[in-house]
């Protein structure tokens, strides 16, 4: 296990550029569901979004740090968990929320707000929580991660496509409606295929170490889902909104995590395996949870039915 901190995955700069582009297209397709009026509506009833963002960017990183302190995994694995927890909600969270019978509009809006917030929150959480744990602090000091560079990466890969998608939906709503679903399905299919190709190029390494992180990833994902559900319940939001917050907290943007790992950490072994395992597992757990939730319909708020 000790050599997992030394091994790096085979991933070219060209592949990293392609991954950036794919994720940008995925975010653009999500933004086609939004218009400026959606954000105005949320300012009138901001509580669910605020609770969701607190769950993602405050509660989950804190719980992740406690998990690292308790388990004390290898440094690169620990930093991988911290990095994944610092990422905004994943791109498939909107689809899974819809399958779960939750507030899909809230899920899309949370993805948008979390994406913008990630410019500051993601590099801050990586640097802050990573520096509090000695072994991960050593990795951060060796890599000299530039928080501004991380913010710029997040901005160009996620925030700019988000803005362009919203603008297209506002200026050309018929065109946005026409291309929304095909673009989303195509981009997600390409993204999933790309990840499997990347894993295939490092298959022997992935198989050698995935067992070492699988249980941690499952526990970590369970903590994320539980954090979203518990905080939403304590805050007293509706069951309709609670499903969206739960899923949005438990589905992390592991694709962004991989971009940051390859772009700033040189494809460090334990971090890469954690992010890749998360990318597989959160889709499985999310779909299973959605199937369970969908068995029981929830009462929709008046504004959701109008």
């Amino acid at each position: 296990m000790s050599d997992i901190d030394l091994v790096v995955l085979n991933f070219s700069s060209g592949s990293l550029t392609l991954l950036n582009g794919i994720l940008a297209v995925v975010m653009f397709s999500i933004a086609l569901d939004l218009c400026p009026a959606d954000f105005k509506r949320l300012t009138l009833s901001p509580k669910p979004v605020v609770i969701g963002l607190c769950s993602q960017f405050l509660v989950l990183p804190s719980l992740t740090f406690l998990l690292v302190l308790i388990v004390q995994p290898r440094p690169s694995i620990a930093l991988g968990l911290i990095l994944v927890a610092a990422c905004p909600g994943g791109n498939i969270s909107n689809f899974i929320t819809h399958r779960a019978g939750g507030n899909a509009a809230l899920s899309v809006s949370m993805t948008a707000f979390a994406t913008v917030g990630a410019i500051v929150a993601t590099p801050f959480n990586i640097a802050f929580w990573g520096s509090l744990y000695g072994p991960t602090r050593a990795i951060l000091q060796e890599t000299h991660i530039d928080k501004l560079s991380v913010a710029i990466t997040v901005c160009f890969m996620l925030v700019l496509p988000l803005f362009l998608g919203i603008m297209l939906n506002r200026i050309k709503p018929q065109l946005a409606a026409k291309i929304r679903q095909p673009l989303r399905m195509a981009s997600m299919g390409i993204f999933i295929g790309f990840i499997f190709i990347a894993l295939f190029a490092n298959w022997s390494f992935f198989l050698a170490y995935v067992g070492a992180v699988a249980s941690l990833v499952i526990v970590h994902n369970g903590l994320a889902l539980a954090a979203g559900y518990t905080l939403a319940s304590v805050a007293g939001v509706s069951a309709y909104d609670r499903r969206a917050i739960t899923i949005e907290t438990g589905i992390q943007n592991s694709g962004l995590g991989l971009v940051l790992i390859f772009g700033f950490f040189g494809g460090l072994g334990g971090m890469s395996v954690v992010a890749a395992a998360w990318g597989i597992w959160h889709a499985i757990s999310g779909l299973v949870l959605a199937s369970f939730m969908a068995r029981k319909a929830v009462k929709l708020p008046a504004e959701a039915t109008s």
Side-chain angles (χ1 to χ4, degrees):
M1 270 294 295
S2 60
D3 60 344
I4 196 173
D5 296 322
L6 304 175
V7 177
V8 296
L9 265 66
N10 177 29
F11 205 77
S12 67
S13 58
S15 297
L16 181 60
T17 301
L18 180 59
L19 179 57
N20 285 339
I22 293 170
L23 289 176
V25 174
V26 173
M27 181 52 62
F28 177 78
S29 67
I30 290 173
L32 293 175
D33 278 323
L34 293 168
C35 63
D38 294 322
F39 295 91
K40 184 178 180 180
R41 256 194 313 273
L42 288 171
T43 62
L44 301 176
S45 182
K47 182 178 177 180
V49 174
V50 172
I51 296 300
L53 293 178
C54 288
S55 179
Q56 277 195 330
F57 288 130
L58 296 177
V59 177
L60 178 56
S62 303
L63 290 175
T64 301
F65 181 69
L66 290 177
L67 177 64
V68 167
L69 288 182
I70 293 170
V71 179
Q72 296 190 6
R74 297 298 307 173
S76 63
I77 294 175
L79 191 55
L81 295 171
I82 291 171
L83 184 142
V84 168
C87 290
N91 301 316
I92 62 171
S93 60
N94 317 131
F95 168 74
I96 292 178
T97 298
H98 178 72
R99 287 283 300 270
N103 190 343
L106 172 61
S107 176
V108 172
S109 299
M110 280 183 59
T111 299
F113 276 100
T115 296
V116 175
I119 295 176
V120 174
T122 295
F124 172 81
N125 275 327
I126 294 171
F128 179 75
W129 295 108
S131 65
L132 292 182
Y133 183 59
T136 55
R137 181 169 60 246
I139 296 177
L140 290 176
Q141 290 172 344
E142 291 173 6
T143 54
H144 301 290
I145 185 171
D146 184 352
K147 286 185 283 188
L148 179 59
S149 296
V150 174
I152 292 172
T153 298
V154 173
C155 183
F156 278 97
M157 194 177 73
L158 300 182
V159 179
L160 181 60
L162 177 71
F163 173 78
L164 293 176
I166 292 172
M167 288 300 99
L168 179 62
N169 192 26
R170 180 183 180 183
I171 299 169
K172 299 283 187 179
Q174 292 182 338
L175 175 61
K178 184 177 181 180
I179 67 174
R180 180 183 297 127
Q181 194 61 25
L183 185 62
R184 181 175 299 183
M185 296 300 293
S187 59
M188 284 303 300
I190 295 170
F191 172 67
I192 293 171
F194 181 87
I195 295 301
F196 274 103
I197 290 172
L199 284 178
F200 183 77
N202 299 274
W203 193 243
S204 60
F205 171 80
F206 183 74
L207 288 180
Y209 293 106
V210 68
V213 305
S215 58
L216 266 178
V217 166
I218 292 171
V219 171
H220 192 209
N221 179 242
L223 279 176
L225 293 167
Y229 181 87
T230 302
L231 186 62
S233 298
V234 171
V237 304
S238 68
Y240 185 56
D241 290 342
R242 184 167 62 232
R243 291 184 179 185
I245 293 171
T246 299
I247 292 168
E248 199 70 24
T249 307
I251 304 296
Q252 295 298 96
N253 196 330
S254 56
L256 172 62
L258 285 171
V259 167
L260 297 179
I261 291 165
F262 288 114
F264 297 95
F265 296 93
L268 188 59
M271 297 182 73
S272 303
V273 176
V274 167
W278 245 95
I280 296 170
W281 176 251
H282 75 175
I284 297 172
S285 66
L287 288 171
V288 170
L289 180 61
S291 298
F292 177 78
M293 287 179 167
R295 294 177 182 176
K296 182 178 180 181
V298 293
K299 183 179 180 181
L300 304 185
E303 61 271 18
T305 58
S306 60

